[in-house]
Amino acid sequence: MLRMRVPALLVLLFCFRGSAGPSPHFLQQPEDLVVLLGEEARLPCALGAYWGLVQWTKSGLALGGQRDLPGWSRYWISGNAANGQHDLHIRPVELEDEASYECQATQAGLRSRPAQLHVLVPPEAPQVLGGPSVSLVAGVPANLTCRSRGHARPTPELLWFRDGVLLDGTTFHQTLLKEGTPGSVESTLTLTPFSHDDGATFVCRARSQALPAGRDTAITLSLQYPPEVTLSASPHTVQEGEKVIFLCQATAQPPVTGYRWAKGGSPVLGARGPRLEVVAEASFLTEPVSCEVSNAVGSANRSTALDVLFGPILQAKPEHVSVDVGEDASFSCAWRGNPLPRVTWTRRGGAQVLGSGATLRLPSVGPEDAGDYVCRAEPGLSGLGGGAAEARLTVNAPPVVTALHSAPAFLRGPARLQCLVFASPAPDAVVWSWDEGFLEAGSQGRFLVETFPAPESRGGLGPGLISVLHISGTQESDFSRSFNCSARNRLGEGGAQASLGRRDLLPTVRIVAGVAAATTTLLMVITGVALCCWRHSKASASFSEQKNLMRIPGSSDGSSSRGPEEEETGSREDRGPIVHTDHSDLVLEEEGTLETKDPTNGYYKVRGVSPPASPDSCVTSLQWKSPGISNLP
């Protein structure tokens, strides 16, 4: 009687709580689940604000509301009912458990979303027909068949591996049982084995979602094959008269039964076994040696010829090429030799390899590509032969004009400017131009133009010309203006600017005067010391203090011997001797006179100081003044 009252009380309590609190709801609902056959499945269910009856259904069939689910020995409900936890467990899972499950709160009229339980069955180990050792014949196509039986779910895939590498070229076939369920699956690997496949291991793997790692079955190939022959000559590269040993090596299954040697198709008498020794001669270059090996399956033959060495020989020289700028250019040369020579292309004087082979192609050339190109063949192994051949690439382009260095000139003196012109085709004219005029050749006023071939040519840029602009009696404006040297041919025009540097004589005069003054002063010091010592040796008593003045000829005490006009002339830096542009020799001033003057302007004075009281000593105190050498620029 008490048991009947408890559910009624729970219903009343639920109604009372429901009217006062939140309505029943799902905190967690079951979701689709995939499990392996024999494992445990757990479908969660949690309710909030609900303390009534909870039950699970399987494909619409109620399993019951008790926690141990009587009648379902592998099913039970777990969790704290007071907290609303009602999880469904199934263990071990069987194929019949694959269905749709719902969690229901009966008194609240709540049903969870359906959860589908999927049961997977791992595949069994596959079977390879003819295994574990499959006998095949090398060179004959064959099939390897792998089969998987059982009730695997889902249907497994069959894969072939060799040395851990997945193989392609397989075909897949599946058979069904009468009920429509998978019966067996097969995979066929088609291959053509070779001798190196003897003893190889192949693996067939059955893999599915139920067993991602899969199950493997391995087989080993056992092959029969005719001999595989390797023929070698030592040394292979020889000169006539050297000894050569041929070695014929073979692998076969079943074993080798015999050897046969031939030269140029004719049998070598007396040759037996895998080794042949001969003396090389010229005929071995064109008549190869062959070795034939046999066994019960078949035979195989290999041949080789000896090399007779000779170095590279030039057959065709490269030819000179002339193209316009922007066009493609190519050179070709031919060498022969044994072994074939390695041919490389470089520019003359350069080490960078531009190409290799018989042909060098230069796309879209520019003036910088002009020059001499070298086709070189390296000597052969014998060290003989080899060499190089050159060809010139001339790029027809607008003239390239370069202003050459010109020596500075003096005001109202002669001067010249030079430019160097390279052009292919040759320029029509070379013209000098400046502010108020231009000149191509001949003379015009103070200007004269000469043009003559350059002593050296620049490879590929065409012949060189040197154009010289002579200027007589330079003026101030010549040192501030720019002179333009330009040349033109059918492809365009090129030019360069040159300027005239000015040369000043005054710094040279100052340096020469300073050196002369220092030399004169040194001579005066030496003379004064010698004179003092001589007087001391002649005197019998002490000397009285006196002042001796020595003076440079042509000067006075502290004053210059020049007149005011000469000093004014010497004070101007732009009025001095003129230095020749080629030899820097001193020449006459404009007045036509060159006076002999004191280089120190009478500035140096040497004063003697009396010696000390001791008659045995001779000391001279010297004083002088520098003529402003520190003011030199």
Side-chain angles (χ1 to χ4, degrees):
M1 192 70 178
L2 181 60
R3 290 181 179 180
M4 297 178 61
R5 292 178 180 177
V6 170
L9 292 174
L10 290 175
V11 171
L12 293 175
L13 180 61
F14 171 76
C15 294
F16 177 77
R17 293 283 301 269
S19 61
S23 60
H25 59 278
F26 280 103
L27 299 175
Q28 186 179 12
Q29 298 188 53
E31 296 181 353
D32 293 347
L33 182 63
V34 177
V35 295
L36 290 178
L37 181 70
E39 295 185 353
E40 178 180 338
R42 175 180 169 272
L43 298 171
C45 177
L47 292 160
Y50 179 76
W51 293 270
L53 178 64
V54 175
Q55 70 172 2
W56 282 87
T57 65
K58 174 184 177 181
S59 297
L61 177 64
L63 300 178
Q66 300 181 24
R67 310 295 284 185
D68 56 355
L69 297 178
W72 302 88
S73 60
R74 296 180 293 105
Y75 291 55
W76 74 92
I77 298 175
S78 68
N80 191 335
N83 294 331
Q85 195 71 35
H86 308 276
D87 298 340
L88 176 63
H89 292 260
I90 306 173
R91 186 179 63 187
V93 173
E94 298 180 357
L95 289 177
E96 63 185 26
D97 298 326
E98 190 170 86
S100 176
Y101 294 84
E102 289 184 3
C103 178
Q104 300 178 355
T106 306
Q107 284 125 345
L110 295 177
R111 300 174 60 181
S112 69
R113 60 172 171 263
Q116 186 68 35
L117 177 62
H118 299 277
V119 180
L120 303 182
V121 180
E124 298 178 357
Q127 177 187 6
V128 179
L129 302 184
S133 178
V134 179
S135 180
L136 302 176
V137 177
V140 178
N143 294 330
L144 297 179
T145 301
C146 179
R147 181 176 298 166
S148 176
R149 295 183 181 275
H151 302 281
R153 299 177 64 180
T155 301
E157 60 176 341
L158 300 178
L159 306 174
W160 286 95
F161 293 86
R162 178 176 179 177
D163 299 329
V165 178
L166 179 65
L167 300 178
D168 296 328
T170 62
T171 59
F172 185 80
H173 177 69
Q174 178 176 336
T175 60
L176 299 177
L177 298 178
K178 293 181 179 180
E179 295 81 4
T181 60
S184 65
V185 292
E186 290 183 356
S187 176
T188 301
L189 174 65
T190 301
L191 75 162
T192 301
F194 295 96
S195 58
H196 61 268
D197 295 322
D198 187 34
T201 299
F202 289 78
V203 173
C204 177
R205 177 175 299 169
R207 184 180 67 180
S208 71
Q209 183 182 357
L211 189 62
R215 286 195 171 99
D216 296 344
T217 297
I219 57 99
T220 303
L221 296 186
S222 176
L223 297 182
Q224 290 187 348
Y225 51 92
E228 289 193 350
V229 181
T230 301
L231 179 60
S232 61
S234 179
H236 184 266
T237 301
V238 297
Q239 295 190 15
E240 190 173 9
E242 291 185 348
K243 182 184 293 186
V244 180
I245 296 176
F246 291 90
L247 186 62
C248 185
Q249 296 176 311
T251 57
Q253 182 64 34
V256 173
T257 57
Y259 295 86
R260 191 180 73 164
W261 292 90
K263 174 178 176 288
S266 300
V268 179
L269 300 179
R272 297 288 186 271
R275 177 186 172 97
L276 175 65
E277 184 174 324
V278 299
V279 175
E281 58 184 44
S283 61
F284 282 91
L285 180 63
T286 56
E287 298 178 4
V289 173
S290 62
C291 173
E292 184 180 81
V293 185
S294 304
N295 74 346
V297 177
S299 62
N301 186 294
R302 290 292 181 271
S303 63
T304 185
L306 296 180
D307 285 337
V308 179
L309 294 179
F310 61 92
I313 299 175
L314 181 62
Q315 290 184 298
K317 295 182 179 180
E319 297 181 354
H320 299 312
V321 176
S322 177
V323 298
D324 288 349
V325 64
E327 294 181 349
D328 297 341
S330 64
F331 295 95
S332 296
C333 68
W335 298 81
R336 66 182 180 90
N338 184 30
L340 291 176
R342 178 176 179 267
V343 180
T344 58
W345 292 86
T346 60
R347 293 190 71 163
R348 186 172 68 178
Q352 182 181 2
V353 176
L354 304 177
S356 60
T359 303
L360 173 67
R361 291 181 174 83
L362 302 173
S364 186
V365 298
E368 68 279 1
D369 297 315
D372 295 325
Y373 289 80
V374 181
C375 173
R376 179 176 286 104
E378 302 297 334
L381 297 178
S382 63
L384 302 176
E390 294 186 3
R392 171 162 296 183
L393 172 62
T394 300
V395 179
N396 301 321
V400 177
V401 183
T402 305
L404 301 180
H405 174 72
S406 300
F410 293 104
L411 182 64
R412 291 183 295 278
R416 67 177 184 176
L417 298 173
Q418 303 179 85
C419 69
L420 179 61
V421 180
F422 288 104
S424 177
D428 302 329
V430 179
V431 179
W432 285 91
S433 60
W434 55 95
D435 295 342
E436 68 274 7
F438 65 92
L439 186 59
E440 175 181 341
S443 61
Q444 175 182 324
R446 297 183 296 113
F447 302 96
L448 170 67
V449 171
E450 292 181 325
T451 302
F452 48 89
E456 295 182 359
S457 64
R458 188 177 301 174
L461 292 180
L465 297 175
I466 294 181
S467 181
V468 183
L469 174 65
H470 297 274
I471 307 175
S472 62
T474 58
Q475 300 177 359
E476 287 286 353
S477 60
D478 295 333
F479 299 101
S480 59
R481 64 162 54 112
S482 294
F483 295 86
N484 185 61
C485 177
S486 60
R488 174 186 292 274
N489 62 10
R490 64 178 178 83
L491 296 174
E493 182 178 0
Q497 287 189 343
S499 59
L500 185 62
R502 183 167 181 170
R503 190 170 184 179
D504 195 352
L505 179 62
L506 185 57
T508 303
V509 174
R510 287 187 175 182
I511 293 174
V512 173
V515 172
T519 303
T520 303
T521 302
L522 180 60
L523 293 175
M524 293 170 61
V525 170
I526 295 173
T527 303
V529 172
L531 182 60
C532 177
C533 292
W534 178 78
R535 288 182 177 180
H536 174 71
S537 63
K538 296 293 185 177
S540 58
S542 62
F543 290 92
S544 61
E545 183 177 3
Q546 61 180 355
K547 184 181 298 183
N548 296 322
L549 175 62
M550 296 187 66
R551 188 174 158 193
I552 301 173
S555 65
S556 61
D557 186 9
S559 63
S560 174
S561 63
R562 297 185 297 175
E565 181 179 354
E566 291 176 340
E567 291 184 355
E568 180 181 357
T569 303
S571 65
R572 294 194 303 257
E573 294 184 356
D574 61 341
R575 295 291 303 276
I578 300 176
V579 178
H580 194 273
T581 59
D582 294 330
H583 306 289
S584 301
D585 298 326
L586 293 175
V587 297
L588 295 178
E589 293 188 10
E590 294 181 2
E591 291 79 8
T593 62
L594 178 63
E595 298 181 2
T596 302
K597 299 179 181 180
D598 176 14
T600 65
N601 293 328
Y603 196 80
Y604 290 87
K605 296 180 180 180
V606 180
R607 301 181 182 274
V609 181
S610 60
S614 173
D616 297 329
S617 63
C618 180
V619 179
T620 303
S621 176
L622 303 176
Q623 298 178 351
W624 66 85
K625 295 174 64 179
S626 173
I629 295 179
S630 61
N631 294 327
L632 289 176

